Amino acid sequence: DWDCTDIGVQKAEFDGKGDIKKTVACSHPILPVERLINIDSNTEKLKLAFFKDERWQEVTVDCTTCYNKQNITVLGDRGVMVTSESARDLVRYIADVVSLNAKSTEDCEAIPKYRSISRLGWIKDDRSDKYEFVPYVDDIRYDGDIDFESIYSQVRTFGDREAWYQMAKEIRKNPIVRLLIATSLASPLIERVGALPFVFHLWGTTSFGKTVSLMVAMSVWGNPES
């Protein structure tokens, strides 16, 4: 019953007098594009895509936000045009789209469903009974705090491994850098070997090399400049 076009989301209904009544859920296009099931808590979130300011944007929110007319107004802080008046209709629209696209049909594909997580670290894949290290897993999405999303996205496989080896081999001649690289590499092993956690405290004056050493240690996992 809903029409999602360039001018927004709306539908036409007949009222009690037989007249056509137009209901506007949102003044710009918006639709759920992914369902995210958190592997730690087994809770579900929705990724919504909306077109505003001449570009597509995305926001990931709890289902308790999407399906509650009091809660969904918080999406206004993320750029979604929703008011206390339109909240009820927007909730109905999102719920309708999700329920009608829960399974694939001959006419359309279902809304994609992914495993998700809000942290970095080890997870156990129940399908293979093996451990995997997030975020180096292709079919897992991030669903955590938006403030940490940019950090999560920068931890990824990239670059020339052999070139990194050559750089690290040379720079490890500095004992501080060697300790930091060892700390960085050892941190994910603690859980797997059942060891106690540890803290490496690096202290020094200006130009001591703290920042560069930390960037080298972070380059083990991703982009140190981000």
Side-chain angles (χ1 to χ4, degrees):
D1 296 332
W2 296 96
D3 289 324
C4 183
T5 66
D6 291 343
I7 60 174
V9 179
Q10 57 187 356
K11 71 174 178 178
E13 298 177 297
F14 288 102
D15 60 17
K17 298 179 180 180
D19 298 324
I20 295 179
K21 175 186 175 183
K22 182 185 294 185
T23 300
V24 178
C26 192
S27 60
H28 56 73
I30 182 171
L31 64 160
V33 293
E34 288 180 2
R35 294 172 55 206
L36 307 175
I37 312 298
N38 190 282
I39 60 177
D40 290 330
S41 62
N42 202 35
T43 56
E44 183 170 336
K45 293 186 178 182
L46 286 179
K47 176 178 284 188
L48 304 176
F50 62 98
F51 191 80
K52 185 182 177 185
D53 298 329
E54 302 299 324
R55 64 188 181 97
W56 280 100
Q57 305 173 57
E58 294 181 341
V59 56
T60 301
V61 292
D62 299 327
C63 286
T64 52
T65 298
C66 293
Y67 300 147
N68 187 295
K69 64 181 181 181
Q70 278 80 32
N71 297 340
I72 200 170
T73 54
V74 302
L75 294 183
D77 294 335
R78 300 296 303 276
V80 177
M81 289 297 299
V82 55
T83 68
S84 57
E85 297 295 325
S86 64
R88 177 175 174 272
D89 295 315
L90 184 57
V91 166
R92 289 172 55 196
Y93 161 70
I94 293 175
D96 286 347
V97 173
V98 172
S99 61
L100 290 172
N101 293 276
K103 295 181 179 180
S104 297
T105 65
E106 295 181 356
D107 299 324
C108 64
E109 293 290 332
I111 296 175
K113 182 174 69 172
Y114 296 98
R115 297 183 297 163
S116 65
I117 197 168
S118 57
R119 60 175 176 83
L120 303 176
W122 294 102
I123 62 169
K124 187 175 183 181
D125 188 349
D126 295 331
R127 299 168 298 183
S128 62
D129 205 33
K130 294 181 179 179
Y131 282 90
E132 301 172 295
F133 194 82
V134 175
Y136 308 105
V137 183
D138 293 334
D139 63 341
I140 288 187
R141 301 290 194 269
Y142 177 77
D143 69 357
D145 195 316
I146 188 174
D147 293 335
F148 299 103
E149 187 171 6
S150 60
I151 297 176
Y152 184 95
S153 65
Q154 294 302 322
V155 181
R156 65 186 190 276
T157 303
F158 189 81
D160 187 324
R161 182 168 57 182
E162 292 302 322
W164 188 91
Y165 284 160
Q166 293 301 317
M167 178 277 297
K169 182 178 180 181
E170 182 64 26
I171 203 170
R172 282 181 72 253
K173 294 177 181 178
N174 182 304
I176 301 301
V177 176
R178 186 163 66 251
L179 281 168
L180 276 168
I181 292 178
T183 299
S184 184
L185 291 170
S187 59
L189 300 178
I190 293 175
E191 179 181 342
R192 302 298 298 127
V193 301
L196 293 175
F198 63 90
V199 175
F200 179 67
H201 183 197
L202 177 64
W203 179 89
T205 58
T206 303
S207 302
F208 181 71
K210 301 185 297 298
T211 301
V212 173
S213 300
L214 286 169
M215 290 180 71
V216 173
M218 288 187 290
S219 71
V220 170
W221 307 106
N223 185 354
E225 295 184 346
S226 301

